[in-house]
Amino acid sequence: MNKIDPIDKCITANLDAYFKELGDAPASNVWNMVMDGVEKAMLEKVMAYTNGNQSKAAEVLGITRNTLRKKLISNHLIDAS
């Protein structure tokens, strides 16, 4: 089995590339950019991993199903209805 880099190492590498690409342009709103991107990607992958089963996904994430639903709705991954 291949060793997977820790998530913080992946985020660090991507932030390094982001700041390098910015060059002299000012960075702004980095917190929201990273947190929103990580949350949505994580929700998408966990939902795929659990074949769309919200109860299993909530268990994998260590959150309640209601919290998961709210996050799925706020990230436009499911409809509010």
Side-chain angles (χ1 to χ4, degrees), residues 24-80:
D24 292 334
S28 66
N29 209 19
V30 173
W31 176 268
N32 287 337
M33 176 187 69
V34 172
M35 300 310 287
D36 292 348
V38 168
E39 182 175 74
K40 186 170 185 175
M42 176 177 53
L43 291 170
E44 288 172 336
K45 290 299 177 183
V46 171
M47 290 302 293
Y49 175 74
T50 61
N51 296 312
N53 184 311
Q54 291 181 19
S55 295
K56 287 181 183 178
E59 186 177 329
V60 167
L61 292 166
I63 60 177
T64 67
R65 188 176 176 281
N66 285 338
T67 298
L68 173 62
R69 258 188 80 64
K70 289 176 190 173
K71 289 183 177 297
L72 292 170
I73 290 167
S74 70
N75 282 279
H76 308 287
L77 297 174
I78 62 169
D79 291 328

